[in-house]
Amino acid sequence: MRKEYKERIWGELDDMKTMCKTGVLFFFIILITILSGACGGSQGITGGREAAVEFFGMNTYMKLTAYGDGAEDALERAESKVAELESLWSATDRQSEIYQINHSAGQPADLSEETKEVISFALKMAKQTDGALEPTIYPVLTAWGFTTEENRIPDEAEIAKLLTRVGYERVEFSDGRIWLQEGMELDLGAVGKGYTGDILTELLKESGISSAILDLGGNIQTIGSKPDGSEWKLGIRNPFGEGSIGVLSVAGDTAVVTSGNYERYFVGGDGKEYGHIIDPDTGYPVDNELASVTIISEEGKLADALSTSMMVKGLAGAIEYWRAHRDFEMIAVTKDREIYLTQKAKEAFVLSDAFGNMEIKEVE
Ligand code: AMP
Ligand code: MG
């Protein structure tokens, strides 16, 4: 399973040669020069030793790679941090803060700094996306079996009833304390890994790491450039099957997060596919023209929140949201094989040969 996963997600393509970097936050470079390939062969690590840890955390396979002196120790601390955050945020672990909140029967719950921060961010993004991101979707998610892997199709009456327990506007959150009405439950599934990426980035940088790539189950976060100063090459997952639709070049501290219902879905008795991203308006899994959305941002938590919520909004809604904000880059793949990219994403993206027939469109 690990090998399969690596082939699927881990997107660094070492056999490509690159050029320089510029810019302020994160930079994209067109790979037209791949073919210039003057130097051929694999790149050497000039900035120090490579160290990596691989483990299962937050219900997914993670691989953290860092370069330079002290990389092993820093990665060990990063792995422990993931375990610590998971123990705070798991919706199923009875000891977790989220479990306590979800079972506090209307009583306020006190929270750790990191939990406060992630909840406050999730609520802010819920508002900003008009509820497309809905951190209280958990009761509906459970009814579809996505929390237990015993999938089923709930009937309309059941969904309508469960939706009365959903609504971020009714969460009271102040002075670091949270009140959930009885029956309501939080789920950080859409933002937790992204925020974890931000926390790990900070931790690694504080440990003196200036070059690293973190794969948190498909959420990729980079620190600095590759040790030889070149950009990272990230494969963007093919939502229709194996492999990647193309390669994105990034440098600097950058998060690249992809969401899609292909990640987790089941086939119902009616032959239809039902995915794990729920439209909070209907209580049904999202079923629009989008196959996947990739968000590129300096911040993992923003990229994570937006990749999920742009899937909910659909193509037109996602483009409208981008036009209103313009503080992130986006790659949206439709089920009929069109690919919409914002300008900087387009400049940094090279389509795989196998997807050469995909229609590329720039979002302006
Ligand atoms: P992601 O993989 O980041 O797109 O997040 C998907 C996960 O977020 C699901 O597995 C659920 O745990 C949760 N989720 C599903 N639908 C929503 C939604 N509309 N808003 C917030 N979280 C959601
Ligand atoms: Mg997400």
Side-chain angles (χ1 to χ4, degrees), residues 131-135 137 141 187 189-191 193 219 257-260 263-264 276-280 304 307-308 312:
L133 187 82
E134 177 46 90
I137 200 70
L141 201 71
D187 169 27
V191 290
K193 277 192 286 165
N219 284 32
V257 179
T258 303
S259 285
E263 286 176 304
R264 265 172 80 200
H276 69 137
I277 299 174
I278 307 287
D279 181 344
D304 202 355
S307 64
T308 311
V312 173

Side-chain angles (χ1 to χ4, degrees), residues 73-95:
D73 289 350
L75 289 178
E76 224 171 87
R77 282 197 290 281
E79 184 177 347
S80 306
K81 190 73 197 178
V82 173
E84 184 191 322
L85 295 173
E86 184 175 8
S87 73
L88 292 176
W89 299 342
S90 161
T92 48
D93 175 354
R94 287 170 161 264
Q95 305 304 318

Side-chain angles (χ1 to χ4, degrees), residues 339-354:
I339 171 162
Y340 290 78
L341 300 103
T342 54
Q343 190 203 339
K344 283 186 187 153
K346 186 162 173 255
E347 288 169 8
F349 183 75
V350 175
L351 209 53
S352 301
D353 287 348

Side-chain angles (χ1 to χ4, degrees), residues 101 103-108 179-182:
I101 293 168
H103 297 84
S104 61
Q107 293 302 307
W179 288 260
L180 281 193
Q181 290 173 9
E182 210 158 349

